[in-house]
Amino acid sequence: FKKLEVLHLGLNQISSISNLHLHRLPSLRSLFLQGNMISVVEGLSECKLVDLVLDKNRIKEIGPRSLAGQWTMKRLHIEENRLRSLDHLDVMPSLELLYLGNNRIQDIHEVEKLQPLLHLKEVSLLNNPVCRRMLHRALLILRQPSLNVIDQEVITSEEREAITAYYTEHQQRQAVTMQSLSTPVEYSYSNLSQVALGGGPVVRPPARVGAYPGLVDLHWAGLSPATSSQYPVV
């Protein structure tokens, strides 16, 4: 099987990837493991995958070595698991499509961890707690200029321009406000909780973008810019 490039092993009650001995398949590029009982992502260090499907398993976290060495990975499906963190996804510099729907991601800080993925074109966080206030969409648009699609919705040029214009104006107003404060405050993810609880000045959003979902929440939080798609056809 040294020339095998695509391996479908979905719905097979597999609990360990290591037991598959994938190092024996040096040409493997697409691996489908959806609907199994996998709780730990391991045993991939010698693979050079392009597509990995891990939907509907029991994965709670991605470890520091889980996806190490996956320089060629372009598409990762890991929906309907138990993820609470987006740690260690930044080891895949070629990643273009990332599907994270129906997990347990609720902390807005986790969104920032995707920023090193410079080639990311599409991401889905549908049906995660973090999506309830739509805060993540505006943050992703600001932080990930390579993105074209978020949660199966295309980012329009008007949407991108409106968000950018709003925060440019917000920063200017904030700079003026800060001049009147005795102690300057720098807004970032690290002090999100403090500002969200009223620890910073409030500047009303411009009327032209005030109705955009998430913008008012983003402003209130004091931050400034600094469901499953189909599996790939192979």
Side-chain angles (χ1 to χ4, degrees):
F1 300 105
K2 290 186 177 181
K3 294 184 178 180
L4 185 69
E5 295 185 5
V6 181
L7 182 59
H8 288 266
L9 290 173
L11 302 171
N12 273 291
Q13 299 185 345
I14 295 169
S15 59
S16 172
I17 300 177
S18 294
N19 290 343
L20 300 176
H21 302 292
L22 296 174
H23 62 277
R24 299 176 181 175
L25 304 173
S27 299
L28 187 65
R29 295 295 177 264
S30 299
L31 178 61
F32 294 79
L33 290 170
Q34 71 276 10
N36 282 292
M37 299 185 295
I38 298 165
S39 58
V40 178
V41 181
E42 59 184 355
L44 299 173
S45 60
E46 297 186 42
C47 298
K48 302 299 179 186
L49 297 173
V50 175
D51 301 293
L52 177 60
V53 178
L54 291 168
D55 296 342
K56 298 182 179 180
N57 276 283
R58 303 174 180 178
I59 302 166
K60 294 183 178 181
E61 64 178 1
I62 302 295
R65 301 295 302 168
S66 295
L67 298 169
Q70 296 302 322
W71 299 95
T72 58
M73 184 84 73
K74 291 186 178 295
R75 293 170 286 271
L76 175 61
H77 297 250
I78 193 165
E79 300 194 310
E80 295 188 54
N81 278 280
R82 304 171 185 178
L83 292 176
R84 295 181 182 274
S85 168
L86 298 182
D87 287 329
H88 311 303
L89 293 176
D90 56 354
V91 298
M92 301 176 288
S94 299
L95 196 67
E96 296 181 357
L97 308 179
L98 178 59
Y99 301 104
L100 296 160
N102 291 284
N103 276 284
R104 301 177 182 178
I105 301 163
Q106 58 183 353
D107 192 337
I108 193 63
H109 291 73
E110 297 302 319
V111 175
E112 187 181 30
K113 297 176 182 178
L114 301 180
Q115 192 169 356
L117 301 175
L118 302 180
H119 299 285
L120 196 63
K121 297 179 180 178
E122 179 174 352
V123 64
S124 176
L125 287 159
L126 285 170
N127 299 319
N128 277 278
V130 74
C131 298
R132 290 172 183 166
R133 294 174 57 200
M134 288 294 290
L135 189 63
H136 72 296
R137 184 175 179 89
L139 284 177
L140 283 168
I141 292 173
L142 287 168
R143 298 282 186 175
Q144 307 278 153
S146 62
L147 275 175
N148 297 320
V149 181
I150 300 173
D151 296 341
Q152 300 181 355
E153 293 186 15
V154 174
I155 303 170
T156 65
S157 57
E158 292 80 9
E159 180 181 23
R160 196 183 300 275
E161 289 170 4
I163 292 174
T164 302
Y166 168 67
Y167 279 99
T168 298
E169 185 169 343
H170 168 59
Q171 282 189 306
Q172 293 172 349
R173 294 189 181 191
Q174 182 175 281
V176 172
T177 303
M178 290 305 169
Q179 291 178 0
S180 64
L181 298 178
S182 57
T183 303
V185 178
E186 180 180 353
Y187 291 124
S188 65
Y189 283 91
S190 61
N191 63 9
L192 170 62
S193 300
Q194 177 184 353
V195 179
L197 291 172
V202 174
V203 182
R204 300 304 300 172
R208 62 178 180 277
V209 295
Y212 178 80
L215 275 178
V216 175
D217 287 336
L218 264 173
H219 175 271
W220 176 72
L223 295 176
S224 57
T227 209
S228 304
S229 298
Q230 293 184 351
Y231 296 151
V233 178
V234 294

